[in-house]
Amino acid sequence: MTPLPADLRLLERAIALAGEARARGRHPFGALVADARGDVLAEAVNDSLPPGGDPTRHAELLAAAAAARAAPEGGLGGATLFTSAEPCAMCAGAIYWTGIGRVVYALSESRLLALTGNHPENPTLALPCREVFARGQRVVEVLGPLLEDAAEAPHVGFWT
């Protein structure tokens, strides 16, 4: 499946949010949810702050939850979550449960793992989001990885 120009523009915004997260001293992840017209419903940066912070405050989960609260009458079936990195299993579950119908991500989980290594603040699950969504009763379309070099930039030197 080929990304649309709007997909790439919104994915670039998610990557920029990852840079903003890093500038704030947070883990460099960003996400946003846009409706079918491309209007942004919610955006978020990672706010989990391990090791002492709340590890559930990933950017994707925060954006999905905010979009669910702001959702139009018809829900989020036509919405897309754009994220700087492939959603982890926890975030994929949140995306599924909020009813978001599509995910576009930049950095793959495997490439992220190559950057973070065995860093204690980013224990990685080798479980692609496609596999999580495949276990559900409704389809969540997934497009990615895309723009991996750009998405890698906020991580360079962060995990060392």
Side-chain angles (χ1 to χ4, degrees):
M1 178 180 312
T2 303
L4 302 172
D7 290 336
L8 296 177
R9 179 179 53 81
L10 290 166
L11 192 56
E12 287 169 348
R13 174 63 185 146
I15 294 168
L17 287 167
E20 290 176 23
R22 180 177 179 158
R24 294 182 196 173
R26 306 294 200 261
H27 292 175
F29 299 97
L32 63 90
V33 178
D35 65 16
R37 294 184 315 265
D39 296 329
V40 175
L41 300 173
E43 58 182 34
V45 298
N46 188 57
D47 193 29
S48 62
L49 294 174
D54 180 347
T56 67
R57 294 186 55 79
H58 288 190
E60 298 88 349
L61 194 148
L62 295 173
R69 289 189 297 273
E73 184 72 25
L76 295 171
T80 301
L81 184 133
F82 295 87
T83 178
S84 63
E86 183 173 359
C88 71
M90 174 183 69
C91 292
I95 292 162
Y96 179 82
W97 289 113
T98 56
I100 293 170
R102 185 170 177 254
V103 172
V104 177
Y105 71 88
L107 195 61
S108 68
E109 182 70 19
S110 59
R111 192 150 167 191
L112 175 63
L113 178 59
L115 291 166
T116 64
N118 194 26
H119 197 285
E121 292 182 15
N122 194 51
T124 301
L125 289 171
L127 182 59
C129 68
R130 284 177 172 88
E131 288 185 34
V132 175
F133 296 136
R135 304 287 190 224
Q137 294 178 314
R138 64 175 183 79
V139 174
V140 178
E141 180 184 330
V142 179
L143 182 59
L146 301 167
L147 307 178
E148 283 195 286
D149 291 340
E152 183 178 281
H155 294 272
V156 173
F158 184 86
W159 302 100
T160 56

PDB file of all heavy atoms in Angstrom, residues 36-71:
ATOM      1  N   ALA A  36     -10.771  11.343   9.180  1.00  0.00           N
ATOM      2  CA  ALA A  36     -10.700  10.929   7.782  1.00  0.00           C
ATOM      3  C   ALA A  36     -10.364  12.091   6.843  1.00  0.00           C
ATOM      4  O   ALA A  36      -9.822  11.874   5.758  1.00  0.00           O
ATOM      5  CB  ALA A  36     -12.016  10.273   7.369  1.00  0.00           C
ATOM      6  N   ARG A  37     -10.645  13.315   7.245  1.00  0.00           N
ATOM      7  CA  ARG A  37     -10.327  14.499   6.432  1.00  0.00           C
ATOM      8  C   ARG A  37      -8.885  14.962   6.656  1.00  0.00           C
ATOM      9  O   ARG A  37      -8.419  15.868   5.981  1.00  0.00           O
ATOM     10  CB  ARG A  37     -11.283  15.645   6.750  1.00  0.00           C
ATOM     11  CG  ARG A  37     -12.723  15.395   6.361  1.00  0.00           C
ATOM     12  CD  ARG A  37     -13.596  16.627   6.620  1.00  0.00           C
ATOM     13  NE  ARG A  37     -13.342  17.241   7.918  1.00  0.00           N
ATOM     14  CZ  ARG A  37     -14.024  17.000   9.024  1.00  0.00           C
ATOM     15  NH1 ARG A  37     -15.025  16.151   9.008  1.00  0.00           N
ATOM     16  NH2 ARG A  37     -13.719  17.609  10.153  1.00  0.00           N
ATOM     17  N   GLY A  38      -8.212  14.399   7.655  1.00  0.00           N
ATOM     18  CA  GLY A  38      -6.852  14.805   7.964  1.00  0.00           C
ATOM     19  C   GLY A  38      -6.769  15.865   9.042  1.00  0.00           C
ATOM     20  O   GLY A  38      -5.687  16.376   9.328  1.00  0.00           O
ATOM     21  N   ASP A  39      -7.905  16.196   9.654  1.00  0.00           N
ATOM     22  CA  ASP A  39      -7.901  17.161  10.754  1.00  0.00           C
ATOM     23  C   ASP A  39      -7.421  16.470  12.027  1.00  0.00           C
ATOM     24  O   ASP A  39      -7.926  15.393  12.390  1.00  0.00           O
ATOM     25  CB  ASP A  39      -9.305  17.728  10.982  1.00  0.00           C
ATOM     26  CG  ASP A  39      -9.801  18.535   9.792  1.00  0.00           C
ATOM     27  OD1 ASP A  39      -8.970  19.153   9.093  1.00  0.00           O
ATOM     28  OD2 ASP A  39     -11.023  18.546   9.554  1.00  0.00           O
ATOM     29  N   VAL A  40      -6.461  17.088  12.705  1.00  0.00           N
ATOM     30  CA  VAL A  40      -5.884  16.494  13.906  1.00  0.00           C
ATOM     31  C   VAL A  40      -6.866  16.604  15.067  1.00  0.00           C
ATOM     32  O   VAL A  40      -7.321  17.690  15.408  1.00  0.00           O
ATOM     33  CB  VAL A  40      -4.534  17.160  14.255  1.00  0.00           C
ATOM     34  CG1 VAL A  40      -3.989  16.625  15.564  1.00  0.00           C
ATOM     35  CG2 VAL A  40      -3.530  16.943  13.127  1.00  0.00           C
ATOM     36  N   LEU A  41      -7.177  15.463  15.659  1.00  0.00           N
ATOM     37  CA  LEU A  41      -8.068  15.397  16.820  1.00  0.00           C
ATOM     38  C   LEU A  41      -7.291  15.480  18.130  1.00  0.00           C
ATOM     39  O   LEU A  41      -7.796  15.997  19.124  1.00  0.00           O
ATOM     40  CB  LEU A  41      -8.870  14.094  16.802  1.00  0.00           C
ATOM     41  CG  LEU A  41      -9.770  13.848  15.598  1.00  0.00           C
ATOM     42  CD1 LEU A  41     -10.350  12.444  15.653  1.00  0.00           C
ATOM     43  CD2 LEU A  41     -10.865  14.892  15.534  1.00  0.00           C
ATOM     44  N   ALA A  42      -6.072  14.934  18.133  1.00  0.00           N
ATOM     45  CA  ALA A  42      -5.258  14.907  19.357  1.00  0.00           C
ATOM     46  C   ALA A  42      -3.818  14.636  18.974  1.00  0.00           C
ATOM     47  O   ALA A  42      -3.545  13.961  17.979  1.00  0.00           O
ATOM     48  CB  ALA A  42      -5.757  13.815  20.295  1.00  0.00           C
ATOM     49  N   GLU A  43      -2.896  15.155  19.766  1.00  0.00           N
ATOM     50  CA  GLU A  43      -1.494  14.813  19.610  1.00  0.00           C
ATOM     51  C   GLU A  43      -0.851  14.727  20.981  1.00  0.00           C
ATOM     52  O   GLU A  43      -1.339  15.331  21.940  1.00  0.00           O
ATOM     53  CB  GLU A  43      -0.751  15.775  18.679  1.00  0.00           C
ATOM     54  CG  GLU A  43      -0.754  17.211  19.062  1.00  0.00           C
ATOM     55  CD  GLU A  43      -0.014  18.083  18.034  1.00  0.00           C
ATOM     56  OE1 GLU A  43      -0.048  17.806  16.818  1.00  0.00           O
ATOM     57  OE2 GLU A  43       0.611  19.059  18.484  1.00  0.00           O
ATOM     58  N   ALA A  44       0.236  13.956  21.055  1.00  0.00           N
ATOM     59  CA  ALA A  44       0.868  13.725  22.352  1.00  0.00           C
ATOM     60  C   ALA A  44       2.332  13.367  22.175  1.00  0.00           C
ATOM     61  O   ALA A  44       2.750  12.871  21.123  1.00  0.00           O
ATOM     62  CB  ALA A  44       0.159  12.590  23.092  1.00  0.00           C
ATOM     63  N   VAL A  45       3.090  13.611  23.239  1.00  0.00           N
ATOM     64  CA  VAL A  45       4.472  13.147  23.320  1.00  0.00           C
ATOM     65  C   VAL A  45       4.552  12.143  24.467  1.00  0.00           C
ATOM     66  O   VAL A  45       3.689  12.115  25.349  1.00  0.00           O
ATOM     67  CB  VAL A  45       5.460  14.310  23.552  1.00  0.00           C
ATOM     68  CG1 VAL A  45       5.404  15.294  22.392  1.00  0.00           C
ATOM     69  CG2 VAL A  45       5.217  15.015  24.863  1.00  0.00           C
ATOM     70  N   ASN A  46       5.583  11.335  24.422  1.00  0.00           N
ATOM     71  CA  ASN A  46       5.790  10.357  25.484  1.00  0.00           C
ATOM     72  C   ASN A  46       5.957  11.075  26.824  1.00  0.00           C
ATOM     73  O   ASN A  46       6.656  12.069  26.926  1.00  0.00           O
ATOM     74  CB  ASN A  46       7.032   9.522  25.180  1.00  0.00           C
ATOM     75  CG  ASN A  46       7.189   8.382  26.139  1.00  0.00           C
ATOM     76  OD1 ASN A  46       6.301   7.553  26.262  1.00  0.00           O
ATOM     77  ND2 ASN A  46       8.305   8.326  26.826  1.00  0.00           N
ATOM     78  N   ASP A  47       5.296  10.565  27.847  1.00  0.00           N
ATOM     79  CA  ASP A  47       5.367  11.174  29.174  1.00  0.00           C
ATOM     80  C   ASP A  47       5.515  10.104  30.259  1.00  0.00           C
ATOM     81  O   ASP A  47       5.058  10.279  31.371  1.00  0.00           O
ATOM     82  CB  ASP A  47       4.106  12.012  29.425  1.00  0.00           C
ATOM     83  CG  ASP A  47       4.247  12.915  30.637  1.00  0.00           C
ATOM     84  OD1 ASP A  47       5.375  13.330  30.956  1.00  0.00           O
ATOM     85  OD2 ASP A  47       3.230  13.184  31.294  1.00  0.00           O
ATOM     86  N   SER A  48       6.151   8.983  29.907  1.00  0.00           N
ATOM     87  CA  SER A  48       6.211   7.878  30.865  1.00  0.00           C
ATOM     88  C   SER A  48       7.307   8.041  31.913  1.00  0.00           C
ATOM     89  O   SER A  48       7.168   7.536  33.011  1.00  0.00           O
ATOM     90  CB  SER A  48       6.388   6.543  30.132  1.00  0.00           C
ATOM     91  OG  SER A  48       7.587   6.512  29.420  1.00  0.00           O
ATOM     92  N   LEU A  49       8.362   8.718  31.606  1.00  0.00           N
ATOM     93  CA  LEU A  49       9.448   9.018  32.539  1.00  0.00           C
ATOM     94  C   LEU A  49       9.928   7.848  33.394  1.00  0.00           C
ATOM     95  O   LEU A  49       9.981   7.946  34.611  1.00  0.00           O
ATOM     96  CB  LEU A  49       9.048  10.174  33.463  1.00  0.00           C
ATOM     97  CG  LEU A  49       8.866  11.515  32.778  1.00  0.00           C
ATOM     98  CD1 LEU A  49       8.330  12.540  33.757  1.00  0.00           C
ATOM     99  CD2 LEU A  49      10.147  11.995  32.157  1.00  0.00           C
ATOM    100  N   PRO A  50      10.274   6.722  32.790  1.00  0.00           N
ATOM    101  CA  PRO A  50      10.889   5.670  33.589  1.00  0.00           C
ATOM    102  C   PRO A  50      12.210   6.133  34.166  1.00  0.00           C
ATOM    103  O   PRO A  50      12.782   7.082  33.654  1.00  0.00           O
ATOM    104  CB  PRO A  50      11.117   4.552  32.572  1.00  0.00           C
ATOM    105  CG  PRO A  50      10.192   4.842  31.451  1.00  0.00           C
ATOM    106  CD  PRO A  50      10.080   6.332  31.412  1.00  0.00           C
ATOM    107  N   PRO A  51      12.750   5.532  35.204  1.00  0.00           N
ATOM    108  CA  PRO A  51      12.198   4.357  35.855  1.00  0.00           C
ATOM    109  C   PRO A  51      11.138   4.668  36.911  1.00  0.00           C
ATOM    110  O   PRO A  51      10.395   3.793  37.312  1.00  0.00           O
ATOM    111  CB  PRO A  51      13.422   3.711  36.497  1.00  0.00           C
ATOM    112  CG  PRO A  51      14.323   4.865  36.805  1.00  0.00           C
ATOM    113  CD  PRO A  51      14.081   5.872  35.714  1.00  0.00           C
ATOM    114  N   GLY A  52      11.003   5.910  37.371  1.00  0.00           N
ATOM    115  CA  GLY A  52      10.076   6.206  38.451  1.00  0.00           C
ATOM    116  C   GLY A  52       8.712   6.680  38.025  1.00  0.00           C
ATOM    117  O   GLY A  52       7.796   6.749  38.832  1.00  0.00           O
ATOM    118  N   GLY A  53       8.530   7.018  36.748  1.00  0.00           N
ATOM    119  CA  GLY A  53       7.256   7.566  36.289  1.00  0.00           C
ATOM    120  C   GLY A  53       6.261   6.481  35.916  1.00  0.00           C
ATOM    121  O   GLY A  53       6.500   5.292  36.088  1.00  0.00           O
ATOM    122  N   ASP A  54       5.132   6.911  35.390  1.00  0.00           N
ATOM    123  CA  ASP A  54       4.068   6.004  34.971  1.00  0.00           C
ATOM    124  C   ASP A  54       4.424   5.411  33.607  1.00  0.00           C
ATOM    125  O   ASP A  54       4.405   6.115  32.604  1.00  0.00           O
ATOM    126  CB  ASP A  54       2.751   6.788  34.895  1.00  0.00           C
ATOM    127  CG  ASP A  54       1.571   5.946  34.468  1.00  0.00           C
ATOM    128  OD1 ASP A  54       1.761   4.812  33.980  1.00  0.00           O
ATOM    129  OD2 ASP A  54       0.434   6.435  34.609  1.00  0.00           O
ATOM    130  N   PRO A  55       4.745   4.129  33.536  1.00  0.00           N
ATOM    131  CA  PRO A  55       5.191   3.532  32.281  1.00  0.00           C
ATOM    132  C   PRO A  55       4.090   3.378  31.237  1.00  0.00           C
ATOM    133  O   PRO A  55       4.367   2.979  30.113  1.00  0.00           O
ATOM    134  CB  PRO A  55       5.738   2.171  32.707  1.00  0.00           C
ATOM    135  CG  PRO A  55       4.992   1.848  33.950  1.00  0.00           C
ATOM    136  CD  PRO A  55       4.741   3.170  34.638  1.00  0.00           C
ATOM    137  N   THR A  56       2.850   3.702  31.568  1.00  0.00           N
ATOM    138  CA  THR A  56       1.766   3.575  30.593  1.00  0.00           C
ATOM    139  C   THR A  56       1.535   4.851  29.795  1.00  0.00           C
ATOM    140  O   THR A  56       0.673   4.876  28.923  1.00  0.00           O
ATOM    141  CB  THR A  56       0.447   3.172  31.278  1.00  0.00           C
ATOM    142  OG1 THR A  56       0.006   4.244  32.118  1.00  0.00           O
ATOM    143  CG2 THR A  56       0.597   1.904  32.083  1.00  0.00           C
ATOM    144  N   ARG A  57       2.287   5.893  30.055  1.00  0.00           N
ATOM    145  CA  ARG A  57       2.036   7.173  29.395  1.00  0.00           C
ATOM    146  C   ARG A  57       2.831   7.315  28.091  1.00  0.00           C
ATOM    147  O   ARG A  57       3.508   8.301  27.860  1.00  0.00           O
ATOM    148  CB  ARG A  57       2.293   8.317  30.362  1.00  0.00           C
ATOM    149  CG  ARG A  57       1.269   8.286  31.525  1.00  0.00           C
ATOM    150  CD  ARG A  57       1.350   9.451  32.448  1.00  0.00           C
ATOM    151  NE  ARG A  57       1.243  10.747  31.815  1.00  0.00           N
ATOM    152  CZ  ARG A  57       0.107  11.338  31.419  1.00  0.00           C
ATOM    153  NH1 ARG A  57      -1.044  10.713  31.588  1.00  0.00           N
ATOM    154  NH2 ARG A  57       0.131  12.525  30.866  1.00  0.00           N
ATOM    155  N   HIS A  58       2.684   6.316  27.226  1.00  0.00           N
ATOM    156  CA  HIS A  58       3.287   6.377  25.898  1.00  0.00           C
ATOM    157  C   HIS A  58       2.494   7.354  25.033  1.00  0.00           C
ATOM    158  O   HIS A  58       1.286   7.541  25.221  1.00  0.00           O
ATOM    159  CB  HIS A  58       3.263   5.006  25.231  1.00  0.00           C
ATOM    160  CG  HIS A  58       4.211   4.020  25.819  1.00  0.00           C
ATOM    161  ND1 HIS A  58       4.481   2.812  25.226  1.00  0.00           N
ATOM    162  CD2 HIS A  58       4.965   4.055  26.953  1.00  0.00           C
ATOM    163  CE1 HIS A  58       5.350   2.136  25.949  1.00  0.00           C
ATOM    164  NE2 HIS A  58       5.655   2.865  27.015  1.00  0.00           N
ATOM    165  N   ALA A  59       3.179   7.949  24.050  1.00  0.00           N
ATOM    166  CA  ALA A  59       2.548   8.947  23.183  1.00  0.00           C
ATOM    167  C   ALA A  59       1.315   8.387  22.464  1.00  0.00           C
ATOM    168  O   ALA A  59       0.276   9.056  22.376  1.00  0.00           O
ATOM    169  CB  ALA A  59       3.561   9.471  22.169  1.00  0.00           C
ATOM    170  N   GLU A  60       1.414   7.168  21.978  1.00  0.00           N
ATOM    171  CA  GLU A  60       0.294   6.576  21.229  1.00  0.00           C
ATOM    172  C   GLU A  60      -0.928   6.385  22.121  1.00  0.00           C
ATOM    173  O   GLU A  60      -2.053   6.674  21.715  1.00  0.00           O
ATOM    174  CB  GLU A  60       0.700   5.224  20.626  1.00  0.00           C
ATOM    175  CG  GLU A  60       1.835   5.309  19.642  1.00  0.00           C
ATOM    176  CD  GLU A  60       3.216   5.217  20.269  1.00  0.00           C
ATOM    177  OE1 GLU A  60       3.353   5.287  21.518  1.00  0.00           O
ATOM    178  OE2 GLU A  60       4.176   5.072  19.499  1.00  0.00           O
ATOM    179  N   LEU A  61      -0.696   5.905  23.326  1.00  0.00           N
ATOM    180  CA  LEU A  61      -1.804   5.691  24.258  1.00  0.00           C
ATOM    181  C   LEU A  61      -2.454   7.023  24.635  1.00  0.00           C
ATOM    182  O   LEU A  61      -3.680   7.147  24.653  1.00  0.00           O
ATOM    183  CB  LEU A  61      -1.303   4.956  25.496  1.00  0.00           C
ATOM    184  CG  LEU A  61      -2.383   4.369  26.394  1.00  0.00           C
ATOM    185  CD1 LEU A  61      -1.882   3.099  27.051  1.00  0.00           C
ATOM    186  CD2 LEU A  61      -2.825   5.341  27.448  1.00  0.00           C
ATOM    187  N   LEU A  62      -1.639   8.034  24.906  1.00  0.00           N
ATOM    188  CA  LEU A  62      -2.174   9.352  25.271  1.00  0.00           C
ATOM    189  C   LEU A  62      -2.963   9.970  24.123  1.00  0.00           C
ATOM    190  O   LEU A  62      -4.044  10.533  24.336  1.00  0.00           O
ATOM    191  CB  LEU A  62      -1.042  10.286  25.700  1.00  0.00           C
ATOM    192  CG  LEU A  62      -0.284   9.890  26.967  1.00  0.00           C
ATOM    193  CD1 LEU A  62       0.907  10.811  27.174  1.00  0.00           C
ATOM    194  CD2 LEU A  62      -1.204   9.911  28.171  1.00  0.00           C
ATOM    195  N   ALA A  63      -2.437   9.873  22.894  1.00  0.00           N
ATOM    196  CA  ALA A  63      -3.138  10.435  21.738  1.00  0.00           C
ATOM    197  C   ALA A  63      -4.443   9.688  21.471  1.00  0.00           C
ATOM    198  O   ALA A  63      -5.478  10.310  21.192  1.00  0.00           O
ATOM    199  CB  ALA A  63      -2.242  10.407  20.503  1.00  0.00           C
ATOM    200  N   ALA A  64      -4.414   8.364  21.570  1.00  0.00           N
ATOM    201  CA  ALA A  64      -5.629   7.575  21.340  1.00  0.00           C
ATOM    202  C   ALA A  64      -6.699   7.899  22.374  1.00  0.00           C
ATOM    203  O   ALA A  64      -7.880   8.063  22.049  1.00  0.00           O
ATOM    204  CB  ALA A  64      -5.303   6.083  21.358  1.00  0.00           C
ATOM    205  N   ALA A  65      -6.304   8.016  23.637  1.00  0.00           N
ATOM    206  CA  ALA A  65      -7.265   8.327  24.698  1.00  0.00           C
ATOM    207  C   ALA A  65      -7.861   9.718  24.517  1.00  0.00           C
ATOM    208  O   ALA A  65      -9.074   9.911  24.666  1.00  0.00           O
ATOM    209  CB  ALA A  65      -6.592   8.205  26.065  1.00  0.00           C
ATOM    210  N   ALA A  66      -7.018  10.691  24.180  1.00  0.00           N
ATOM    211  CA  ALA A  66      -7.524  12.056  23.962  1.00  0.00           C
ATOM    212  C   ALA A  66      -8.452  12.097  22.756  1.00  0.00           C
ATOM    213  O   ALA A  66      -9.492  12.776  22.784  1.00  0.00           O
ATOM    214  CB  ALA A  66      -6.355  13.024  23.776  1.00  0.00           C
ATOM    215  N   ALA A  67      -8.117  11.370  21.706  1.00  0.00           N
ATOM    216  CA  ALA A  67      -8.983  11.334  20.524  1.00  0.00           C
ATOM    217  C   ALA A  67     -10.323  10.677  20.852  1.00  0.00           C
ATOM    218  O   ALA A  67     -11.363  11.115  20.371  1.00  0.00           O
ATOM    219  CB  ALA A  67      -8.289  10.592  19.387  1.00  0.00           C
ATOM    220  N   ALA A  68     -10.296   9.641  21.670  1.00  0.00           N
ATOM    221  CA  ALA A  68     -11.547   8.976  22.057  1.00  0.00           C
ATOM    222  C   ALA A  68     -12.455   9.944  22.809  1.00  0.00           C
ATOM    223  O   ALA A  68     -13.672   9.936  22.607  1.00  0.00           O
ATOM    224  CB  ALA A  68     -11.252   7.739  22.903  1.00  0.00           C
ATOM    225  N   ARG A  69     -11.862  10.788  23.654  1.00  0.00           N
ATOM    226  CA  ARG A  69     -12.672  11.775  24.386  1.00  0.00           C
ATOM    227  C   ARG A  69     -13.222  12.854  23.457  1.00  0.00           C
ATOM    228  O   ARG A  69     -14.287  13.402  23.707  1.00  0.00           O
ATOM    229  CB  ARG A  69     -11.838  12.406  25.497  1.00  0.00           C
ATOM    230  CG  ARG A  69     -11.532  11.458  26.656  1.00  0.00           C
ATOM    231  CD  ARG A  69     -10.894  12.160  27.845  1.00  0.00           C
ATOM    232  NE  ARG A  69      -9.598  12.751  27.549  1.00  0.00           N
ATOM    233  CZ  ARG A  69      -8.434  12.111  27.631  1.00  0.00           C
ATOM    234  NH1 ARG A  69      -8.400  10.833  27.983  1.00  0.00           N
ATOM    235  NH2 ARG A  69      -7.304  12.723  27.358  1.00  0.00           N
ATOM    236  N   ALA A  70     -12.485  13.149  22.385  1.00  0.00           N
ATOM    237  CA  ALA A  70     -12.885  14.201  21.457  1.00  0.00           C
ATOM    238  C   ALA A  70     -13.613  13.662  20.228  1.00  0.00           C
ATOM    239  O   ALA A  70     -13.957  14.431  19.336  1.00  0.00           O
ATOM    240  CB  ALA A  70     -11.643  14.968  20.998  1.00  0.00           C
ATOM    241  N   ALA A  71     -13.838  12.366  20.195  1.00  0.00           N
ATOM    242  CA  ALA A  71     -14.378  11.718  18.996  1.00  0.00           C
ATOM    243  C   ALA A  71     -15.735  12.273  18.599  1.00  0.00           C
ATOM    244  O   ALA A  71     -16.582  12.545  19.450  1.00  0.00           O
ATOM    245  CB  ALA A  71     -14.492  10.211  19.226  1.00  0.00           C
TER     246      ALA A  71
END
